[in-house]
Amino acid sequence: MPQFLKMNDNDTQLSKWQKFRKTIVWEYSQVIVVALILVFGFIRPFVVEAFKIPSGSMEDTLLIGDRILVCKFIYGITIPGTDIKVLNFHKPARGDVFVFIPPHDRERNFIKRIVAVEGDTIETRGNTLYVNGAAVDDSYYAKHMRFSHFKTGGDFPPFRNPEYLPDTEAFFDYTLTTSQFRRKFPEGKPFTVPKGKVFAMGDNRDQSSDSRSWGPVDINDIKGQAFMVYWSFDARPAKVWEVWKLVRNVRFNRIGKLIHVSP
């Protein structure tokens, strides 16, 4: 005769718990998926975005292979189709490390440091930066090199590539050739940042293509402020199976590093 197994109370309770657990896991999974879709599909374009550092223009603040997070709403969010900006918590300020679209290359994102804002007068004498006539103490983050293809042999201004400058009155004296500029302004001429612009420079001052080359950045081209390194990997050559080398290339001491604003 066939025998039927009878479930005891413990088995019944275990079965109910398993069903309950599956239900909870499924419901939480749905919530997590929806949250991820919201965050990365709808909120991400306005809140935070990740970028990878491809060059050494911001060394040693940021290194090649650093992956950073950029706060996109801190300077305000422009309502699509309008000029209205909301959540304008913080205006671009001197010392901010920021991501932007440069005026000379509209297909790429650049990252630099704001060294002057609208109305500021800026110049350099040797390796010293002056803003509004006062020397800036940038020794703890700015880096200078003895030899560089960016060096022009003279102080700034004139701009390195005046052909990139806007054709407006504010830039007339800086679109001269180097010899013309020196004849007209033998002691140099400080530059005043126009309204609605900021002046960007890389921390690796002699290895950076920045506002000294292609002029100031329009505030409407700013994408956000960099605030943290969330991952860092030194891409030195290593074969896939050489796991120990790949692990060695991870810069664990940089993960979670905050990107500080300079004074």
Side-chain angles (χ1 to χ4, degrees):
M1 293 181 64
Q3 297 182 353
F4 297 96
L5 296 176
K6 183 178 180 181
M7 295 180 65
N8 57 34
D9 291 341
N10 290 335
D11 290 336
T12 302
Q13 291 177 359
L14 181 61
S15 178
K16 288 181 178 179
W17 165 245
Q18 287 175 336
K19 288 181 180 178
F20 175 75
R21 187 175 61 181
K22 287 181 179 180
T23 301
I24 291 297
V25 169
W26 171 244
E27 289 181 352
Y28 270 97
S29 297
Q30 293 181 82
V31 171
I32 291 170
V33 169
V34 171
L36 290 174
I37 291 173
L38 286 173
V39 170
F40 291 101
F42 298 101
I43 299 176
R44 184 192 64 82
F46 304 104
V47 177
V48 67
E49 188 170 354
F51 291 88
K52 181 181 178 181
I53 303 301
S55 74
S57 70
M58 283 295 291
E59 291 179 349
D60 291 319
T61 303
L62 296 172
L63 306 179
I64 297 174
D66 280 352
R67 293 181 181 271
I68 63 169
L69 294 177
V70 172
C71 181
K72 302 186 71 175
F73 67 84
I74 194 165
Y75 298 128
I77 299 172
T78 301
I79 299 176
T82 73
D83 294 327
I84 301 173
K85 184 170 284 191
V86 297
L87 302 178
N88 193 3
F89 295 108
H90 171 62
K91 291 185 178 180
R94 291 191 295 270
D96 291 358
V97 176
F98 73 128
V99 172
F100 59 96
I101 301 172
H104 72 299
D105 187 348
R106 311 301 292 173
E107 302 299 321
R108 292 196 296 167
N109 297 308
F110 277 38
I111 182 166
K112 306 291 177 185
R113 189 184 295 274
I114 298 176
V115 297
V117 297
E118 64 175 57
D120 283 344
T121 298
I122 181 173
E123 63 179 316
T124 60
R125 302 172 202 161
N127 289 337
T128 304
L129 172 68
Y130 290 83
V131 177
N132 300 324
V136 177
D137 181 12
D138 54 12
S139 57
Y140 75 95
Y141 62 85
K143 176 179 176 180
H144 297 276
M145 303 183 71
R146 186 174 179 181
F147 300 103
S148 169
H149 67 278
F150 281 112
K151 281 185 177 291
T152 59
D155 293 342
F156 153 80
F159 288 90
R160 294 166 173 169
N161 299 103
E163 65 270 20
Y164 290 136
L165 299 180
D167 185 19
T168 60
E169 185 176 355
F171 298 91
F172 282 169
D173 288 334
Y174 303 98
T175 55
L176 304 173
T177 65
T178 302
S179 59
Q180 288 173 333
F181 184 91
R182 287 176 179 168
R183 283 198 301 269
K184 189 173 181 179
F185 306 105
E187 302 299 322
K189 182 184 180 183
F191 176 74
T192 301
V193 182
K195 185 177 181 180
K197 308 276 187 181
V198 297
F199 204 93
M201 292 174 68
D203 286 356
N204 189 356
R205 292 288 162 81
D206 301 318
Q207 295 288 333
S208 174
S209 172
D210 50 40
S211 288
R212 293 169 292 175
S213 295
W214 27 257
V217 177
D218 194 299
I219 58 173
N220 292 321
D221 289 331
I222 296 176
K223 302 192 75 171
Q225 182 180 352
F227 67 92
M228 187 178 75
V229 177
Y230 73 89
W231 178 255
S232 186
F233 186 80
D234 184 354
R236 288 175 291 180
K239 296 181 177 63
V240 176
W241 57 85
E242 295 178 311
V243 178
W244 66 275
K245 285 187 178 180
L246 294 174
V247 173
R248 182 192 64 186
N249 288 357
V250 178
R251 302 186 187 107
F252 290 102
N253 64 321
R254 294 189 63 77
I255 297 175
K257 180 182 176 66
L258 297 179
I259 302 170
H260 295 290
V261 174
S262 67

